[in-house]
Amino acid sequence: MQFDKRTIHRNLAFFYVGLIISFAFSGILNNHRETWKVKTNYTYETEEFRIPVPVNMKDFNSKAKIATFAKKHYPNSKFLGSRTRNNELRAFFKDNTILDLNFFLGVGTIEYRRKVPIIGHSLFLHKFSNDFWVFYSDIFALSLIIIAVTGLLLPRGKYSFKKSGWKLTLLGLLVPILVLILFG
């Protein structure tokens, strides 16, 4: 196998094109999440339920008791955790399901959620941080550096880096430097 700059540039670009597009897309969504109100999840079904009132708050004074209650009303998934505030319980489950209960009224809902196709999954990749993904992302970042450097060296003749490419490269480098000076 040949290891010249063109081969390295081409093969890394082919290998990472999906990740480059995915990270660029999710980066744009992330940058504008407040403006566009990007939703990563949506509710596709809601079920209501009732429990007898008055509710004895002592039945909900520990995570174990809340987990038992939550599993009774939603036995299909692994209980992840909960919070209680102002007579209200919110329980979270592994399959992106949320159980809400108002102790005072005895009324509750179970909300089933799914990721928004493409958008939700892209944002997940952008924010995901387990050890393997961090390691893989570091390799990806180094590969982007190699793609950029080999890309600078590919053109020949009057469009080479030595002749005219250095001007655009310098201009491109000035933008982040100015941002750091002005806003850093």
Side-chain angles (χ1 to χ4, degrees):
M1 184 179 205
Q2 193 177 359
F3 288 106
D4 65 359
K5 61 188 172 209
R6 288 185 183 285
T7 305
I8 292 169
H9 179 84
R10 181 190 64 231
N11 290 345
L12 284 175
F14 283 156
F15 185 79
Y16 285 117
V17 70
L19 197 54
I20 291 168
I21 292 169
S22 175
F23 269 40
F25 177 70
S26 63
I28 291 167
L29 291 174
N30 234 352
N31 288 342
H32 301 280
R33 66 186 173 276
E34 293 300 318
T35 307
W36 296 342
K37 304 293 183 216
V38 174
K39 300 266 189 228
T40 56
N41 297 311
Y42 68 94
T43 301
Y44 69 93
E45 187 179 346
T46 303
E47 293 176 16
E48 292 187 9
F49 66 92
R50 293 189 165 278
I51 61 169
V53 287
V55 174
N56 185 350
M57 292 298 286
K58 289 180 184 174
D59 292 339
F60 298 94
N61 64 359
S62 74
K63 287 196 182 256
K65 290 180 180 179
I66 293 171
T68 302
F69 171 81
K71 287 301 269 181
K72 177 182 172 190
H73 288 279
Y74 186 61
N76 302 332
S77 183
K78 182 181 178 194
F79 174 74
L80 295 177
S82 64
R83 71 170 191 245
T84 52
R85 256 191 229 149
N86 302 331
N87 291 320
E88 291 188 0
L89 165 71
R90 176 165 266 199
F92 302 92
F93 296 89
K94 187 172 183 164
D95 64 350
N96 215 8
T97 300
I98 298 173
L99 179 144
D100 287 311
L101 171 66
N102 182 307
F103 296 122
F104 186 73
L105 301 173
V107 176
T109 58
I110 297 176
E111 195 174 270
Y112 303 95
R113 294 180 169 191
R114 286 196 178 129
K115 285 195 180 305
V116 174
I118 300 170
I119 292 172
H121 296 91
S122 293
L123 287 172
F124 173 79
L125 278 179
H126 210 95
K127 296 177 182 179
F128 191 50
S129 64
N130 84 357
D131 290 341
F132 168 77
W133 192 246
V134 169
F135 178 71
Y136 185 74
S137 295
D138 289 344
I139 292 169
F140 170 62
L142 290 171
S143 297
L144 285 176
I145 293 168
I146 293 168
I147 290 169
V149 170
T150 56
L152 289 174
L153 303 174
L154 288 179
R156 294 183 179 150
K158 67 179 180 178
Y159 299 111
S160 70
F161 181 75
K162 279 184 181 178
K163 298 267 177 138
S164 62
W166 68 270
K167 296 171 190 169
L168 283 173
T169 303
L170 185 61
L171 192 60
L173 287 171
L174 283 176
V175 174
I177 291 170
L178 284 173
V179 168
L180 286 173
I181 291 169
L182 297 174
F183 304 107

